[in-house]
Amino acid sequence: MKVFAHNFNPHSNSGPNKFTRSLFEQLIKKQGFSFTSQDESDVEFCLIQQTVMKKKPMILRLDGIYFNSEQDYEKQNAPIKFAYDNADAVVFQSNFNKSLTERWFGEHPNSHVIHNAYFGEKVKDENFKKIFGSREIWSCASSWRPHKRLIENVKYYLNCAPDNSVFIVAGTGYSEEEKKEIQNLISQNKLYQEKNRQVYLVGNLDYHLLRQLYDASSTFVHLAYLDHCPNVVVDAYAHGCQIVCSNSGGTQEIGEGFKVVLEKGSPWDFSPIELYNPPEISLNRKISFAGENDAKERAKNCLSKYEEIFRSLI
């Protein structure tokens, strides 16, 4: 099958581009797909928004829509809505993403929910266990913005992790104020010092080293507010991590056996909101769900569902 791609940069490591690159590596290798020009294509694949007017049947994969009341979300959403109305099929990353988008754009007659998946082999740790020995490793990773809740992630670790453990924070974007607050959390609490719980801010790690971190970690913490289907959680889950996440957004849909920390107050009603001013989260209120890690099965299902939708449009 020949595919023309809108708005896809195979050299970018942004979440949408990285997942799409991994997806098409599998479709090309296993199912005989190929990229081509628009005129020669059988189907068009649109990542979030179109780059040109469509000529062939088009699948739209939505990464989410804009709803931050501090931004011009109507202007930001306009090209997404245009692609949504033009699409012959729409793929949502999560049921949360589907509910949100349909509340704003209306229902699409041919929509599907396909959660992101990890398609590669697990990367074995060759570094972190050598550094930290028998100490249990917890981790988190993000492009840190206020709604990703770095401080809350650290507080959860400090309150819930075992003694003599470490928390490795990957990624950049946090402020100097946040960095100082983390240092103060530890320096001003003798209990954390006695229990030897330590936090390391390691900055950006390349993708190979990041997956080694996941393999070394027992637990991955992601308390982000209203995240759709974060690839860091998908990858950490595929490497066997226990996932701790918020009950807001779609993160809790990614796998089985998650520990879900409850937000304070009423559930979000999908109206515009100050995304970068998230509400407090109840760090001590959580639900542990039973279930075995099913990342491999999810990857198979993800791939087969995408292939089925592509072939249905020919």
Side-chain angles (χ1 to χ4, degrees):
M1 179 176 293
K2 297 179 179 179
V3 179
F4 172 75
H6 295 255
N7 198 36
F8 169 49
N9 180 358
H11 305 294
S12 170
N13 282 320
S14 70
N17 283 294
K18 186 164 66 175
F19 170 75
T20 301
R21 182 172 64 242
S22 297
L23 171 66
F24 275 98
E25 285 174 354
Q26 296 298 310
L27 291 172
I28 290 168
K29 180 170 64 176
K30 297 182 178 180
Q31 311 300 340
F33 281 55
S34 63
F35 285 120
T36 188
S37 66
Q38 188 176 27
D39 287 333
E40 294 180 351
S41 65
D42 300 308
V43 177
E44 300 180 19
F45 180 83
C46 178
L47 186 59
I48 303 173
Q49 61 188 60
Q50 293 172 241
T51 52
V52 294
M53 296 298 292
K54 77 168 190 176
K55 295 182 179 180
K56 305 292 175 65
M58 186 179 77
I59 299 170
L60 171 66
R61 180 190 175 275
L62 273 183
D63 199 56
I65 63 172
Y66 295 95
F67 51 83
N68 189 343
S69 60
E70 300 297 298
Q71 300 173 343
D72 189 352
Y73 55 83
E74 290 185 349
K75 182 178 180 180
Q76 292 171 314
N77 282 332
I80 304 176
K81 177 67 161 60
F82 180 82
Y84 186 81
D85 292 338
N86 277 338
D88 297 278
V90 173
V91 175
F92 299 106
Q93 294 183 88
S94 61
N95 290 296
F96 164 76
N97 187 214
K98 175 180 169 67
S99 297
L100 167 63
T101 304
E102 290 183 343
R103 179 71 64 89
W104 285 54
F105 291 173
E107 292 187 15
H108 192 280
N110 186 17
S111 68
H112 310 263
V113 174
I114 307 178
H115 298 94
N116 292 354
Y118 178 80
F119 299 111
E121 295 296 321
K122 289 175 61 176
V123 176
K124 295 296 183 181
D125 170 46
E126 298 175 350
N127 293 281
F128 295 97
K129 288 293 187 182
K130 290 180 181 178
I131 296 170
F132 295 107
S134 61
R135 301 180 72 179
E136 184 170 328
I137 298 172
W138 287 31
S139 61
C140 64
S142 184
S143 296
W144 295 104
R145 288 159 286 168
H147 69 298
K148 299 294 185 177
R149 287 175 163 157
L150 171 59
I151 300 301
E152 285 75 9
N153 283 5
V154 172
K155 286 181 178 178
Y156 184 90
Y157 160 75
L158 291 172
N159 286 313
C160 301
D163 297 353
N164 197 36
S165 60
V166 297
F167 191 44
I168 300 177
V169 178
T172 58
Y174 46 80
S175 66
E176 281 299 315
E177 288 75 14
E178 288 175 308
K179 188 174 180 180
K180 290 178 182 177
E181 184 173 350
I182 291 170
Q183 294 169 344
N184 290 336
L185 280 172
I186 299 171
S187 64
Q188 296 176 5
N189 193 312
K190 291 184 178 180
L191 178 63
Y192 300 149
Q193 297 169 35
E194 291 170 359
K195 292 180 177 294
N196 198 20
R197 295 173 184 168
Q198 294 180 310
V199 178
Y200 294 87
L201 305 177
V202 298
N204 282 331
L205 303 178
D206 67 48
Y207 190 43
H208 185 75
L209 193 56
L210 191 60
R211 287 177 290 172
Q212 288 190 43
L213 173 60
Y214 300 152
D215 184 61
S217 300
S218 67
T219 303
F220 185 85
V221 184
H222 190 82
L223 298 180
Y225 184 56
L226 300 179
D227 225 339
H228 293 272
C229 188
N231 286 308
V232 290
V233 174
V234 172
D235 292 352
Y237 179 66
H239 282 78
C241 291
Q242 165 72 68
I243 304 298
V244 179
C245 68
S246 161
N247 70 323
S248 70
T251 307
Q252 61 188 309
E253 301 177 28
I254 289 173
E256 300 293 331
F258 285 17
K259 289 184 179 178
V260 178
V261 181
L262 303 180
E263 299 283 347
K264 291 184 178 180
S266 303
W268 182 46
D269 63 0
F270 300 121
S271 60
I273 192 172
E274 289 185 43
L275 181 62
Y276 291 169
N277 185 27
E280 290 186 33
I281 189 168
S282 302
L283 294 177
N284 294 321
R285 296 178 62 233
K286 55 184 178 288
I287 301 172
S288 296
F289 289 97
E292 298 295 323
N293 190 303
D294 61 347
K296 288 186 177 180
E297 190 64 29
R298 284 175 177 261
K300 291 179 184 178
N301 291 340
C302 176
L303 187 63
S304 65
K305 287 178 181 178
Y306 269 104
E307 182 184 6
E308 182 180 340
I309 295 169
F310 271 105
R311 299 197 185 282
S312 73
L313 297 182
I314 297 180

